[in-house]
Amino acid sequence: MLFMVEMDVNVPLDTDQERFAALKQAEKERFQELQRAGTWRHIWRVVGHYSNVSIFDVADNAALHDILTALPLYPFMNIRVTALCRHPSSIHDDDR
């Protein structure tokens, strides 16, 4: 199943910067691992915000939930999820 996931990161001003830098590095490593596996198919930065729009390809809602809640930056995120389905006019076979 494909899902569009919008993630806004909100970091409190009093957050320890060294701890946050380590969380960002862990987040990057996890993202790249999921990207190589084909689970996190696309990611785009939202201009002017500490936000992204991503496309996930997972088995079901529960799988997506497990992935998102395990992300290192999850405690700092506001997340919106939209289920997607293939548009009948798409020319791409991998749009499921």
XYZ file of all heavy atoms in Angstrom:
787
model
N 0.836 -1.179 0.000
C 0.000 0.000 0.000
C 0.883 1.246 0.000
O 1.911 1.278 0.661
C -0.886 0.030 1.242
C -1.898 -1.093 1.323
S -2.909 -1.013 2.834
C -3.922 0.393 2.462
N 0.449 2.231 -0.730
C 1.177 3.497 -0.769
C 0.520 4.510 0.160
O -0.712 4.602 0.222
C 1.206 4.065 -2.181
C 1.988 3.269 -3.218
C 1.875 3.943 -4.585
C 3.441 3.124 -2.819
N 1.353 5.260 0.857
C 0.877 6.310 1.749
C 1.708 7.565 1.538
O 2.928 7.487 1.399
C 1.028 5.893 3.216
C 0.121 4.775 3.629
C 0.555 3.461 3.541
C -1.149 5.031 4.111
C -0.270 2.414 3.924
C -1.980 3.994 4.497
C -1.543 2.684 4.410
N 1.033 8.706 1.515
C 1.721 9.988 1.560
C 1.785 10.377 3.039
O 0.762 10.375 3.726
C 0.970 11.064 0.780
C 1.635 12.429 0.873
S 0.746 13.728 -0.033
C -0.737 13.894 0.951
N 2.971 10.684 3.503
C 3.160 11.046 4.901
C 3.808 12.426 4.947
O 4.866 12.644 4.362
C 4.041 10.006 5.628
C 4.242 10.407 7.078
C 3.419 8.610 5.527
N 3.136 13.337 5.616
C 3.660 14.686 5.812
C 4.167 14.774 7.246
O 3.427 14.487 8.188
C 2.573 15.721 5.575
C 2.025 15.669 4.154
C 0.792 16.521 3.991
O 0.947 17.733 3.724
O -0.318 15.977 4.154
N 5.438 15.131 7.393
C 6.058 15.201 8.717
C 6.574 16.606 8.971
O 7.359 17.130 8.177
C 7.230 14.223 8.798
C 6.850 12.778 8.641
S 8.315 11.735 8.709
C 8.045 10.727 7.257
N 6.108 17.191 10.058
C 6.600 18.482 10.514
C 7.394 18.233 11.795
O 6.882 17.605 12.728
C 5.451 19.445 10.829
C 4.569 19.700 9.620
O 5.113 19.875 8.521
O 3.337 19.721 9.788
N 8.625 18.709 11.826
C 9.477 18.516 12.997
C 9.458 19.807 13.820
O 9.721 20.887 13.292
C 10.920 18.154 12.577
C 11.793 17.953 13.806
C 10.918 16.910 11.698
N 9.129 19.661 15.094
C 9.071 20.800 16.020
C 9.983 20.506 17.200
O 9.666 19.666 18.037
C 7.640 21.017 16.516
C 6.698 21.302 15.370
O 6.870 22.289 14.685
N 5.741 20.430 15.147
N 11.110 21.198 17.233
C 12.110 20.965 18.267
C 12.025 22.088 19.308
O 12.187 23.262 18.962
C 13.527 20.928 17.658
C 14.553 20.591 18.719
C 13.579 19.937 16.508
N 11.771 21.736 20.570
C 11.756 22.777 21.612
C 13.108 23.501 21.686
O 14.162 22.889 21.488
C 11.493 21.989 22.903
C 10.842 20.720 22.443
C 11.438 20.423 21.093
N 13.064 24.781 21.955
C 14.285 25.586 21.983
C 15.279 25.115 23.034
O 16.485 25.307 22.877
C 13.937 27.059 22.219
C 13.139 27.723 21.097
C 12.750 29.148 21.498
C 13.913 27.718 19.793
N 14.804 24.477 24.100
C 15.701 24.055 25.168
C 16.266 22.644 24.969
O 16.897 22.086 25.856
C 15.013 24.157 26.524
C 13.787 23.263 26.632
O 13.333 22.718 25.608
O 13.272 23.119 27.760
N 16.055 22.063 23.784
C 16.566 20.724 23.500
C 18.092 20.734 23.443
O 18.689 21.628 22.830
C 16.009 20.211 22.153
O 14.592 20.184 22.249
C 16.521 18.827 21.823
N 18.709 19.763 24.084
C 20.159 19.635 24.060
C 20.610 19.411 22.614
O 20.185 18.442 21.963
C 20.585 18.454 24.943
C 22.080 18.233 24.898
O 22.792 18.899 25.655
O 22.515 17.386 24.087
N 21.455 20.282 22.106
C 21.850 20.253 20.701
C 22.685 19.033 20.336
O 22.569 18.513 19.223
C 22.567 21.542 20.319
C 21.647 22.759 20.347
C 20.426 22.586 19.451
O 20.544 22.334 18.261
N 19.239 22.699 20.026
N 23.524 18.566 21.239
C 24.315 17.364 20.955
C 23.399 16.142 20.838
O 23.571 15.318 19.943
C 25.363 17.139 22.034
C 26.537 18.082 21.922
C 27.609 17.778 22.958
O 27.767 16.604 23.352
O 28.292 18.736 23.371
N 22.452 16.029 21.762
C 21.488 14.924 21.724
C 20.669 14.990 20.428
O 20.457 13.983 19.769
C 20.562 14.991 22.934
C 19.499 13.927 22.925
C 18.618 13.993 24.185
N 17.467 13.149 24.031
C 16.273 13.558 23.630
N 16.064 14.830 23.375
N 15.275 12.721 23.489
N 20.247 16.200 20.070
C 19.440 16.345 18.861
C 20.258 16.008 17.615
O 19.742 15.365 16.696
C 18.856 17.756 18.771
C 17.869 17.891 17.652
C 16.676 17.196 17.673
C 18.151 18.699 16.566
C 15.766 17.300 16.633
C 17.255 18.805 15.521
C 16.053 18.115 15.554
N 21.522 16.397 17.575
C 22.386 16.067 16.431
C 22.519 14.550 16.297
O 22.490 14.012 15.180
C 23.749 16.717 16.592
N 22.644 13.850 17.412
C 22.736 12.386 17.374
C 21.431 11.771 16.876
O 21.448 10.811 16.090
C 23.085 11.846 18.762
N 20.288 12.331 17.300
C 18.988 11.833 16.821
C 18.831 12.062 15.316
O 18.331 11.194 14.597
C 17.840 12.513 17.568
C 17.628 12.088 19.004
C 16.587 12.990 19.675
C 17.192 10.628 19.078
N 19.271 13.230 14.827
C 19.194 13.513 13.386
C 20.042 12.534 12.586
O 19.628 12.067 11.525
C 19.611 14.948 13.073
C 18.598 15.972 13.453
C 18.834 17.334 12.842
C 20.195 17.886 13.043
N 20.363 19.276 12.569
N 21.231 12.216 13.092
C 22.096 11.253 12.404
C 21.448 9.873 12.389
O 21.448 9.188 11.361
C 23.473 11.195 13.064
C 24.437 10.243 12.371
C 24.699 10.608 10.917
O 24.786 11.786 10.562
N 24.820 9.601 10.068
N 20.882 9.461 13.508
C 20.189 8.163 13.576
C 18.989 8.141 12.637
O 18.715 7.138 11.974
C 19.767 7.871 15.005
N 18.275 9.262 12.545
C 17.121 9.374 11.647
C 17.575 9.211 10.190
O 16.949 8.490 9.411
C 16.461 10.735 11.839
C 15.237 10.970 10.982
C 13.963 10.500 11.637
O 13.970 10.130 12.825
O 12.934 10.487 10.938
N 18.667 9.868 9.825
C 19.192 9.775 8.457
C 19.578 8.338 8.123
O 19.253 7.838 7.038
C 20.395 10.702 8.302
C 20.997 10.686 6.921
C 22.169 11.645 6.826
C 22.785 11.624 5.447
N 23.900 12.582 5.323
N 20.253 7.677 9.047
C 20.657 6.290 8.813
C 19.443 5.384 8.642
O 19.413 4.536 7.744
C 21.544 5.806 9.961
C 22.910 6.469 9.967
C 23.696 6.224 11.234
O 23.282 5.387 12.077
O 24.751 6.878 11.400
N 18.427 5.572 9.479
C 17.209 4.744 9.376
C 16.482 5.022 8.068
O 16.019 4.112 7.392
C 16.297 5.005 10.581
C 15.031 4.196 10.551
C 15.320 2.707 10.681
N 14.073 1.967 10.707
C 13.850 0.847 10.029
N 14.806 0.296 9.312
N 12.687 0.252 10.089
N 16.380 6.314 7.704
C 15.732 6.680 6.445
C 16.423 6.015 5.265
O 15.779 5.429 4.393
C 15.731 8.204 6.258
C 15.592 8.620 4.822
C 14.406 8.421 4.137
C 16.662 9.174 4.136
C 14.284 8.786 2.801
C 16.546 9.535 2.812
C 15.352 9.346 2.140
N 17.739 6.072 5.230
C 18.465 5.498 4.100
C 18.318 3.980 4.061
O 18.237 3.399 2.977
C 19.926 5.939 4.143
C 20.056 7.417 3.822
C 21.464 7.945 3.910
O 22.356 7.312 4.472
N 21.678 9.138 3.365
N 18.255 3.356 5.213
C 18.009 1.912 5.287
C 16.629 1.571 4.697
O 16.509 0.655 3.879
C 18.058 1.535 6.772
C 18.069 0.091 7.121
C 18.163 -0.045 8.638
O 19.194 0.334 9.229
O 17.169 -0.521 9.241
N 15.608 2.338 5.078
C 14.257 2.108 4.561
C 14.169 2.450 3.077
O 13.436 1.808 2.324
C 13.237 2.924 5.360
C 13.012 2.458 6.792
C 12.272 3.523 7.594
C 12.254 1.136 6.809
N 14.930 3.449 2.651
C 14.942 3.815 1.233
C 15.557 2.687 0.402
O 15.019 2.313 -0.637
C 15.718 5.114 1.042
C 15.599 5.671 -0.355
C 16.315 6.996 -0.508
O 17.191 7.355 0.273
N 15.953 7.722 -1.529
N 16.670 2.133 0.868
C 17.307 1.027 0.141
C 16.384 -0.193 0.062
O 16.424 -0.930 -0.914
C 18.632 0.640 0.802
C 19.777 1.600 0.508
C 21.119 1.047 0.860
N 21.879 1.472 1.987
C 21.920 2.639 2.609
N 21.141 3.585 2.250
N 22.727 2.877 3.602
N 15.573 -0.394 1.081
C 14.641 -1.528 1.108
C 13.405 -1.287 0.239
O 12.619 -2.205 0.014
C 14.201 -1.803 2.548
N 13.240 -0.055 -0.264
C 12.089 0.260 -1.100
C 10.851 0.642 -0.304
O 9.786 0.871 -0.883
N 10.988 0.757 0.999
C 9.852 1.094 1.862
C 9.567 2.588 1.858
O 8.418 3.002 1.763
C 10.147 0.626 3.307
O 10.396 -0.784 3.275
C 9.003 0.928 4.237
N 10.611 3.391 1.977
C 10.489 4.856 1.955
C 10.867 5.271 0.544
O 12.018 5.508 0.219
C 11.420 5.469 2.984
C 11.106 6.872 3.402
C 10.590 7.874 2.637
C 11.310 7.434 4.696
N 10.470 9.026 3.359
C 10.902 8.782 4.635
C 11.807 6.942 5.889
C 10.973 9.630 5.738
C 11.887 7.780 6.979
C 11.463 9.105 6.906
N 9.877 5.291 -0.348
C 10.145 5.443 -1.780
C 10.604 6.831 -2.192
O 11.430 6.980 -3.089
C 8.911 5.048 -2.579
C 8.682 3.542 -2.520
C 7.480 3.086 -3.275
N 7.542 3.440 -4.682
C 6.617 3.094 -5.559
N 5.577 2.382 -5.184
N 6.718 3.449 -6.814
N 10.015 7.856 -1.592
C 10.348 9.224 -1.989
C 10.319 10.123 -0.759
O 9.551 9.879 0.169
C 9.336 9.781 -2.999
C 9.229 8.975 -4.248
N 10.148 9.071 -5.266
C 8.317 8.058 -4.637
C 9.793 8.240 -6.244
N 8.699 7.607 -5.876
N 11.127 11.173 -0.803
C 11.084 12.205 0.229
C 11.382 13.549 -0.423
O 12.273 13.642 -1.274
C 12.067 11.918 1.390
C 11.877 12.929 2.529
C 13.491 11.864 0.894
C 12.636 12.574 3.808
N 10.597 14.553 -0.049
C 10.805 15.914 -0.528
C 10.788 16.859 0.656
O 9.948 16.729 1.557
C 9.697 16.346 -1.503
C 9.688 15.576 -2.768
C 10.423 15.831 -3.898
C 8.917 14.413 -3.065
N 10.153 14.899 -4.863
C 9.223 14.010 -4.378
C 7.990 13.661 -2.354
C 8.647 12.911 -4.987
C 7.414 12.553 -2.960
C 7.747 12.202 -4.260
N 11.700 17.795 0.651
C 11.720 18.846 1.665
C 10.662 19.882 1.315
O 10.448 20.193 0.136
C 13.099 19.501 1.666
C 13.243 20.604 2.680
C 14.636 21.160 2.673
N 15.499 20.158 3.297
C 16.816 20.211 3.274
N 17.434 21.173 2.641
N 17.522 19.284 3.869
N 9.999 20.432 2.324
C 9.036 21.511 2.129
C 9.790 22.824 2.323
O 10.365 23.061 3.392
C 7.863 21.397 3.125
C 6.893 22.560 2.945
C 7.140 20.055 2.956
N 9.823 23.629 1.295
C 10.594 24.866 1.301
C 10.155 25.766 2.457
O 8.968 25.999 2.664
C 10.442 25.617 -0.047
C 11.147 26.961 -0.012
C 10.967 24.762 -1.188
N 11.147 26.228 3.213
C 10.892 27.176 4.286
C 10.415 26.568 5.590
O 10.094 27.290 6.528
N 10.364 25.221 5.678
C 9.875 24.556 6.880
C 10.816 23.404 7.238
O 11.518 22.874 6.384
C 8.475 23.975 6.656
C 7.462 25.008 6.340
N 6.769 25.684 7.304
C 7.015 25.486 5.147
C 5.929 26.534 6.725
N 6.067 26.434 5.417
N 10.788 23.000 8.491
C 11.491 21.783 8.894
C 10.471 20.663 8.731
O 9.897 20.167 9.696
C 11.991 21.898 10.325
C 13.019 20.857 10.721
C 13.734 20.989 11.894
C 13.288 19.749 9.925
C 14.675 20.043 12.275
C 14.229 18.812 10.291
C 14.918 18.962 11.471
O 15.845 18.031 11.842
N 10.178 20.344 7.480
C 9.115 19.415 7.127
C 9.495 18.631 5.892
O 10.360 19.042 5.126
C 7.815 20.176 6.818
O 7.423 20.975 7.892
N 8.806 17.501 5.702
C 8.960 16.751 4.458
C 7.645 16.111 4.074
O 6.744 15.958 4.893
C 10.086 15.715 4.572
C 9.723 14.524 5.419
O 8.903 13.694 5.025
N 10.321 14.415 6.595
N 7.569 15.770 2.805
C 6.474 14.972 2.268
C 7.121 13.719 1.710
O 8.074 13.805 0.922
C 5.699 15.723 1.159
C 4.641 14.830 0.535
C 5.085 17.001 1.709
N 6.633 12.576 2.153
C 7.241 11.308 1.772
C 6.200 10.339 1.250
O 5.016 10.447 1.573
C 7.927 10.681 2.989
O 9.014 11.479 3.418
N 6.663 9.383 0.449
C 5.816 8.293 -0.017
C 6.398 7.000 0.538
O 7.573 6.701 0.344
C 5.770 8.217 -1.568
C 5.278 9.553 -2.158
C 4.909 7.040 -2.012
C 3.860 9.948 -1.785
N 5.539 6.248 1.232
C 5.915 4.954 1.794
C 5.180 3.847 1.054
O 4.021 4.016 0.662
C 5.531 4.874 3.281
C 6.442 5.651 4.178
C 6.309 7.020 4.324
C 7.439 5.006 4.891
C 7.143 7.738 5.161
C 8.286 5.719 5.732
C 8.132 7.079 5.866
N 5.829 2.720 0.879
C 5.242 1.529 0.272
C 5.352 0.415 1.304
O 6.436 -0.141 1.517
C 5.994 1.163 -1.003
C 5.324 0.067 -1.800
O 4.320 -0.508 -1.323
O 5.813 -0.217 -2.905
N 4.238 0.126 1.981
C 4.225 -0.838 3.089
C 3.064 -1.805 2.932
O 2.151 -1.580 2.135
C 4.137 -0.120 4.449
C 5.387 0.694 4.719
C 2.902 0.759 4.523
N 3.079 -2.864 3.709
C 2.044 -3.893 3.620
C 0.674 -3.385 4.064
O -0.349 -3.727 3.469
C 2.443 -5.110 4.446
N 0.654 -2.577 5.127
C -0.635 -2.137 5.670
C -0.441 -0.983 6.641
O 0.685 -0.549 6.890
C -1.378 -3.301 6.346
C -0.554 -4.002 7.410
O 0.270 -3.341 8.070
O -0.737 -5.219 7.577
N -1.564 -0.511 7.207
C -1.539 0.617 8.139
C -0.646 0.330 9.344
O 0.097 1.204 9.797
C -2.944 0.915 8.675
C -3.932 1.232 7.600
O -3.658 1.146 6.423
N -5.119 1.616 8.005
N -0.743 -0.875 9.878
C 0.030 -1.232 11.061
C 1.531 -1.176 10.783
O 2.304 -0.712 11.632
C -0.368 -2.617 11.566
N 1.942 -1.621 9.609
C 3.364 -1.573 9.256
C 3.853 -0.133 9.196
O 4.943 0.186 9.693
C 3.600 -2.281 7.928
N 3.055 0.748 8.601
C 3.435 2.159 8.534
C 3.505 2.750 9.945
O 4.450 3.466 10.276
C 2.460 2.954 7.672
C 2.775 4.440 7.552
C 4.126 4.672 6.893
C 1.668 5.157 6.794
N 2.525 2.445 10.759
C 2.509 2.939 12.138
C 3.790 2.527 12.875
O 4.422 3.350 13.545
C 1.274 2.422 12.876
C 1.217 2.850 14.299
N 0.769 4.096 14.678
C 1.578 2.204 15.434
C 0.848 4.200 15.993
N 1.334 3.067 16.475
N 4.160 1.264 12.738
C 5.358 0.758 13.412
C 6.615 1.474 12.937
O 7.495 1.815 13.735
C 5.503 -0.748 13.211
C 4.443 -1.542 13.950
O 3.762 -0.980 14.841
O 4.287 -2.746 13.625
N 6.706 1.732 11.640
C 7.875 2.430 11.090
C 7.941 3.857 11.620
O 8.983 4.315 12.094
C 7.840 2.432 9.544
C 8.126 1.029 9.013
C 8.832 3.449 8.972
C 7.824 0.868 7.537
N 6.826 4.566 11.552
C 6.816 5.974 11.949
C 7.104 6.155 13.432
O 7.889 7.026 13.815
C 5.478 6.618 11.589
C 5.173 6.715 10.092
C 3.781 7.285 9.881
C 6.223 7.529 9.360
N 6.480 5.340 14.261
C 6.659 5.521 15.707
C 8.048 5.097 16.182
O 8.459 5.461 17.283
C 5.575 4.781 16.507
O 5.596 3.386 16.175
C 4.202 5.365 16.219
N 8.777 4.348 15.355
C 10.133 3.937 15.710
C 11.196 4.914 15.200
O 12.379 4.746 15.513
C 10.416 2.541 15.158
N 10.806 5.924 14.438
C 11.788 6.888 13.940
C 12.399 7.665 15.102
O 11.690 8.067 16.034
C 11.138 7.867 12.956
C 10.700 7.283 11.618
C 9.928 8.330 10.817
C 11.892 6.765 10.826
N 13.706 7.903 15.070
C 14.360 8.621 16.164
C 13.775 10.007 16.454
O 13.729 10.440 17.598
C 15.814 8.716 15.700
C 15.996 7.507 14.829
C 14.674 7.368 14.104
N 13.313 10.704 15.414
C 12.751 12.045 15.617
C 11.247 12.033 15.866
O 10.635 13.097 16.004
C 13.075 12.950 14.417
C 14.538 13.334 14.250
C 14.727 14.199 13.000
C 15.060 14.053 15.479
N 10.642 10.847 15.948
C 9.188 10.746 16.136
C 8.659 11.613 17.290
O 7.623 12.274 17.128
C 8.775 9.284 16.317
C 7.306 9.127 16.594
C 6.374 9.232 15.568
C 6.843 8.895 17.887
C 5.017 9.109 15.816
C 5.492 8.768 18.145
C 4.577 8.876 17.113
O 3.243 8.762 17.364
N 9.339 11.661 18.437
C 8.798 12.473 19.533
C 8.665 13.959 19.196
O 7.921 14.684 19.858
C 9.814 12.279 20.669
C 10.491 10.992 20.354
C 10.533 10.918 18.852
N 9.363 14.423 18.167
C 9.328 15.828 17.776
C 8.424 16.086 16.559
O 8.387 17.202 16.056
C 10.747 16.311 17.428
C 11.717 16.191 18.560
C 12.614 15.134 18.606
C 11.729 17.115 19.588
C 13.515 15.005 19.645
C 12.628 16.999 20.637
C 13.521 15.942 20.673
N 7.726 15.063 16.081
C 6.986 15.175 14.822
C 5.481 15.317 15.002
O 4.890 14.707 15.881
C 7.219 13.933 13.960
C 8.591 13.781 13.420
S 8.676 12.283 12.406
C 10.379 12.319 11.930
N 4.905 16.112 14.114
C 3.469 16.087 13.852
C 3.342 15.421 12.487
O 4.003 15.852 11.535
C 2.876 17.498 13.809
C 2.904 18.160 15.163
O 2.670 17.518 16.181
N 3.206 19.443 15.190
N 2.513 14.377 12.397
C 2.461 13.556 11.187
C 1.031 13.493 10.667
O 0.080 13.325 11.438
C 2.972 12.128 11.487
C 4.439 12.174 11.933
C 2.797 11.217 10.276
C 4.985 10.839 12.389
N 0.903 13.619 9.348
C -0.377 13.431 8.665
C -0.187 12.337 7.616
O 0.777 12.381 6.850
C -0.826 14.731 7.994
C -1.236 15.797 8.987
C -1.494 17.144 8.340
N -0.384 17.682 7.550
C 0.735 18.216 8.051
N 0.928 18.278 9.349
N 1.668 18.698 7.256
N -1.109 11.389 7.594
C -1.003 10.242 6.686
C -2.215 10.230 5.764
O -3.360 10.387 6.210
C -0.941 8.912 7.476
C -0.930 7.726 6.537
C 0.279 8.891 8.391
N -1.946 10.009 4.471
C -3.003 9.880 3.470
C -2.757 8.606 2.674
O -1.672 8.430 2.110
C -2.994 11.091 2.500
O -3.115 12.301 3.267
C -4.113 10.983 1.486
N -3.746 7.720 2.664
C -3.644 6.496 1.852
C -3.788 6.874 0.382
O -4.585 7.743 0.023
C -4.731 5.509 2.250
N -3.005 6.215 -0.472
C -3.016 6.498 -1.910
C -3.376 5.238 -2.692
O -3.143 4.126 -2.231
C -1.632 6.978 -2.367
C -1.074 8.219 -1.678
C 0.372 8.448 -2.124
C -1.923 9.434 -1.965
N -3.918 5.436 -3.874
C -4.122 4.312 -4.785
C -3.740 4.770 -6.190
O -3.691 5.961 -6.482
C -5.549 3.771 -4.727
S -6.814 4.922 -5.231
N -3.481 3.808 -7.027
C -3.021 4.080 -8.388
C -4.073 4.855 -9.176
O -5.257 4.527 -9.153
C -2.727 2.756 -9.095
C -2.091 2.925 -10.450
C -1.767 1.556 -11.062
N -0.906 1.694 -12.199
C -1.339 2.048 -13.412
N -2.602 2.287 -13.619
N -0.476 2.154 -14.412
N -3.634 5.875 -9.857
C -4.524 6.628 -10.729
C -4.640 5.874 -12.045
O -3.634 5.383 -12.583
C -3.961 8.036 -10.977
C -4.957 8.949 -11.597
N -5.279 8.898 -12.925
C -5.716 9.921 -11.046
C -6.191 9.813 -13.192
N -6.482 10.452 -12.062
N -5.845 5.740 -12.597
C -6.015 4.949 -13.822
C -5.265 5.498 -15.036
O -5.015 4.766 -15.988
C -7.524 4.960 -14.058
C -8.069 6.047 -13.219
C -7.105 6.273 -12.098
N -4.865 6.748 -15.006
C -4.136 7.329 -16.137
C -2.622 7.237 -15.989
O -1.887 7.654 -16.879
C -4.530 8.799 -16.310
O -5.900 8.899 -16.614
N -2.137 6.696 -14.863
C -0.697 6.612 -14.655
C -0.054 5.664 -15.665
O -0.595 4.598 -15.967
C -0.396 6.109 -13.239
O 0.991 5.945 -13.083
N 1.110 6.043 -16.176
C 1.845 5.179 -17.109
C 2.891 4.330 -16.375
O 3.581 3.531 -17.000
C 2.527 6.011 -18.220
C 3.562 6.965 -17.631
C 1.482 6.750 -19.041
C 4.455 7.635 -18.667
N 3.002 4.493 -15.046
C 4.001 3.775 -14.266
C 3.419 2.495 -13.681
O 2.446 2.534 -12.939
C 4.565 4.658 -13.164
C 5.205 5.904 -13.678
N 6.439 5.903 -14.302
C 4.776 7.180 -13.707
C 6.739 7.124 -14.680
N 5.754 7.919 -14.326
N 4.028 1.383 -14.014
C 3.546 0.089 -13.528
C 3.753 -0.106 -12.024
O 3.068 -0.925 -11.431
C 4.241 -1.060 -14.272
C 3.837 -1.114 -15.734
O 2.726 -0.642 -16.064
O 4.632 -1.631 -16.532
N 4.701 0.614 -11.453
C 4.972 0.406 -10.025
C 4.105 1.294 -9.116
O 4.320 1.328 -7.905
C 6.448 0.595 -9.702
C 6.930 2.011 -9.916
O 6.235 2.806 -10.592
O 8.009 2.344 -9.400
N 3.135 1.982 -9.656
C 2.166 2.731 -8.856
C 1.079 1.769 -8.423
O 0.171 1.459 -9.168
C 1.515 3.845 -9.677
C 2.472 4.979 -10.000
O 3.535 5.047 -9.369
O 2.144 5.782 -10.872
N 1.219 1.265 -7.213
C 0.231 0.304 -6.715
C -0.625 0.927 -5.667
O -0.294 1.783 -4.976
C 0.888 -0.923 -6.123
C 1.872 -1.558 -7.033
C 2.526 -2.773 -6.397
N 3.861 -2.415 -5.967
C 4.327 -2.504 -4.731
N 3.590 -2.986 -3.786
N 5.531 -2.171 -4.418
